[in-house]
Amino acid sequence: MLTIHAAPLVLPVGAAAVADGAVVVDGDRIAAIGPYEEVAAAYPAARVRRWPGLLTPGLRQDRARALLTRCYHPDPREADELGELPLWGEEFERIAATMDTARRAGSVRRGLQRMLRHGTTHVVGPFGAEEPALRTALARSGLTAVPAPGHAPDPAVLGGDQDPSAASGDLDPFAYGGDLAATAHGPLTVGGRADLAVFDVPAEEALRTGGAGRCVATVLAGRLVHRAR
């Protein structure tokens, strides 16, 4: 089914911003990008989803391995005891000392789900064969594993406690300080895979100050996998 995702501002990255813009998704691919009125006229039978704020490419989480293996993501049923935020450092070590395979796998699944709620569509590894629960959960999530880009922090550092943003369990892909161009998985292009994110913020600058936490929608290969209530 054709779907038009429309927003007050579309930021394709690598191309000019489109005010009152739209992205047409056909299956798992982007069919068109442009002003909403033009797109809607060209695809009159498409379903329309209107979003507030900014529509951007999906984001890349450079600290994914540390956030999934060095943080514990509590089950909602544990909220009274452990809270709802990721646990790291001494709290993580205390839980990890008695954590069985099933509990570890559950933490990883919840971590991936929470990444989707921050507009993440791509995650940086490595994700080795020695971590089967992590690899299985990642494959089932639909998130794309990618190698670290040249500007990203050393994955060896991110895998330990030396990285303060990973150690603190911050799921915001902008936490390391990059702008949208450096944090997006890549540009939105016609014919490219439809990995999108939408944030209820007024401008691109707001993304760097906690904007990813205001993600209202994440589209992964054309599928709406997160929608804020």
Side-chain angles (χ1 to χ4, degrees):
M1 174 183 286
L2 286 167
T3 301
I4 295 174
H5 293 275
L9 188 62
V10 173
L11 300 175
V13 174
V18 184
D20 193 17
V23 176
V24 182
V25 174
D26 185 1
D28 67 348
R29 297 287 146 178
I30 295 174
I33 303 170
Y36 172 75
E37 294 298 334
E38 295 180 12
V39 165
Y43 297 89
R47 173 179 58 184
V48 177
R49 292 189 184 275
R50 286 191 170 274
W51 305 107
L54 311 179
L55 190 156
T56 76
L59 305 182
R60 187 190 64 252
Q61 177 52 265
D62 290 337
R63 300 171 302 282
R65 186 175 183 278
L67 288 166
L68 295 170
T69 63
R70 302 298 300 167
C71 295
Y72 179 71
H73 301 271
D75 188 296
R77 294 168 294 185
E78 301 173 307
D80 288 344
E81 177 188 359
L82 301 177
E84 299 179 352
L85 299 177
L87 303 177
W88 54 279
E90 292 183 1
E91 290 180 299
F92 169 77
E93 296 298 341
R94 176 179 58 81
I95 294 171
T98 59
M99 188 159 43
D100 60 17
T101 300
R103 193 178 186 191
R104 185 179 298 276
S107 172
V108 169
R109 288 194 301 271
R110 292 186 294 273
L112 290 168
Q113 291 164 0
R114 289 162 182 167
M115 288 182 186
L116 289 171
R117 295 203 292 265
H118 284 74
T120 298
T121 58
H122 291 60
V123 290
V124 171
F127 305 106
E130 71 279 5
E131 298 167 319
L134 177 52
R135 290 172 62 87
T136 298
L138 181 59
R140 291 176 176 172
S141 73
L143 287 157
T144 300
V146 294
H151 63 266
D154 185 346
V157 173
L158 296 184
D161 294 331
Q162 297 136 302
D163 175 40
S165 55
S168 65
D170 195 334
L171 293 164
D172 187 341
F174 292 100
Y176 203 79
D179 59 10
L180 178 60
T183 308
H185 75 82
L188 298 179
T189 57
V190 173
R193 199 172 103 147
D195 292 328
L196 322 172
V198 186
F199 305 93
D200 188 8
V201 296
E204 179 180 348
E205 294 73 21
L207 290 173
R208 301 182 67 175
T209 55
R214 297 185 64 183
C215 178
V216 295
T218 305
V219 175
L220 198 59
R223 295 181 298 115
L224 183 62
V225 294
H226 163 62
R227 180 173 186 171
R229 296 178 180 178

